[in-house]
Amino acid sequence: MKGLVLLIAAASAASAHTIFVQLDAGGKKYPVSHAIRTPTYDGPITDVTSKDLACNGGPNPTTASKEIITVTAGSTVKAVWRHTLTASSEVMDPSHKGPTLAYLKKVDNALTDSGVGGGWFKIQESGYNGGNWGTSTVITNGGLHYIDIPSCIPNGQYLLRAEMMALHGAGSSGGAQLYMECAQINIVGGTGSSVPATTYSIPGIYKATDPGILVNIYSMMASSTYKIPGPPLFTCSGSGSSSGGTPAVEPATTLLTATKAPAVEPTVAAPAEGDNGCSVAQWQQCGGTSFSGCNKCASPYACKVVNAYYHQCS
């Protein structure tokens, strides 16, 4: 039994994080990192005020791409998520529950625009619905994140930002883990002449105190709701768009439908770090119920409680 617990814990740590590695567009699945600024490390961004929130970077340095993928307006593309650039099937640990989102930004040159600043509008979101999270849907779909490209936007070069959020540690400030990369695309066949009247800045789309960012998903009651963070969803029909500069409140979706609320996670102190001859890197598991692996974090990180079952180096 102990061996089985160790095996499960190791598997969980191995597949915890995720990267948007490929784009499937027009019936073609492009190679890994083709037209996408992918990092070699699959870590998250946790500071929503950081410029790294636009297209990743900082603690997860990205590599520039020289390609641009042609995408037809009105079509559906698929962002392909994997635990690492070389993973063949691992997507993301099932415990990392949260919403999926996608944004577009029209740019003069998709190869060189950093993505930082204004011009972004949201084109996809999936929160919590009928007992299922957006990230869970992507995992069930084998890592495929479906994104509809609006038909009414103008032709030209864009950055397509696909994002997955992991909220297993979001009960404390800075605990939400945000994963995103930007694909460089050229949209053709669009029927519009201008981008949406209201666009948004990254950073700026999220606040650390947003109820969809700072949330304890384990202790929410049956009557609670989850509000997807960020600006309103843009649609060609105009529903969800806003004429003002401040994002409208996202429509709430029921978080839990069961009549019995889940038990509140107990508050426990992180185990004292002991030198058992090994240590783990930032964002890796370092403790929790039945965990028997390394409980010492590499300097300068400390082992912190996410919940009773998962402690993490951060």
Side-chain angles (χ1 to χ4, degrees):
M1 178 60 71
K2 181 178 180 181
L4 178 60
V5 170
L6 286 173
L7 181 62
I8 293 173
S12 176
S15 60
H17 302 153
T18 193
I19 302 173
F20 166 27
V21 298
Q22 293 172 274
L23 188 67
D24 187 320
K28 180 178 180 179
K29 188 176 182 180
Y30 289 86
V32 170
S33 299
H34 184 95
I36 303 175
R37 306 165 185 183
T38 52
T40 55
Y41 178 60
D42 61 353
I45 298 298
T46 57
D47 180 1
V48 298
T49 67
S50 168
K51 292 181 179 180
D52 301 324
L53 189 68
C55 292
N56 210 341
N60 318 306
T62 57
T63 301
S65 172
K66 298 183 292 183
E67 295 87 20
I68 295 176
I69 294 174
T70 297
V71 173
T72 302
S75 68
T76 299
V77 300
K78 290 169 277 189
V80 182
W81 293 86
R82 292 288 182 266
H83 165 50
T84 66
L85 297 181
T86 58
S88 60
S89 59
E90 290 180 338
V91 179
M92 189 183 202
D93 190 273
S95 68
H96 287 33
K97 302 180 186 301
T100 63
L101 311 98
Y103 296 80
L104 282 176
K105 177 180 180 177
K106 194 173 190 310
V107 296
D108 293 330
N109 189 334
L111 298 178
T112 60
D113 194 291
S114 69
V116 176
W120 291 98
F121 54 101
K122 185 196 289 183
I123 61 170
Q124 183 274 331
E125 61 181 16
S126 177
Y128 189 95
N129 184 29
N132 196 46
W133 284 97
T135 53
S136 303
T137 298
V138 171
I139 294 172
T140 300
N141 289 340
L144 299 182
H145 176 186
Y146 289 80
I147 302 168
D148 294 332
I149 304 299
S151 61
C152 60
I153 58 177
N155 297 330
Q157 295 188 17
Y158 289 78
L159 294 179
L160 169 63
R161 178 183 181 275
E163 178 177 25
M164 297 227 283
M165 290 189 187
L167 303 177
H168 58 289
S172 58
S173 181
Q177 297 182 0
L178 282 62
Y179 301 89
M180 78 298 296
E181 273 77 42
C182 289
Q184 300 161 176
I185 64 174
N186 180 52
I187 293 180
V188 298
T191 60
S193 59
S194 62
V195 296
T198 302
T199 58
Y200 300 83
S201 178
I202 301 179
I205 52 172
Y206 308 136
K207 295 180 181 179
T209 55
D210 285 347
I213 298 288
L214 183 61
V215 55
N216 188 331
I217 62 174
Y218 302 101
S219 62
M220 297 182 75
M221 304 301 289
S223 60
S224 297
T225 57
Y226 176 74
K227 293 183 178 179
I228 300 173
L233 184 68
F234 169 77
T235 64
C236 290
S237 65
S239 59
S241 61
S242 171
S243 60
T246 302
V249 176
E250 291 294 329
T253 52
T254 302
L255 179 65
L256 297 171
T257 57
T259 56
K260 182 178 180 181
V264 176
E265 290 289 331
T267 301
V268 295
E273 292 186 356
D275 187 359
N276 55 2
C278 63
S279 61
V280 291
Q282 185 186 23
W283 309 123
Q284 299 303 305
Q285 186 173 7
C286 55
T289 302
S290 301
F291 179 74
S292 301
C294 299
N295 64 354
K296 182 178 180 181
C297 297
S299 179
Y301 307 109
C303 190
K304 299 180 181 179
V305 173
V306 174
N307 55 63
Y309 305 96
Y310 191 88
H311 304 168
Q312 177 178 266
C313 292
S314 61

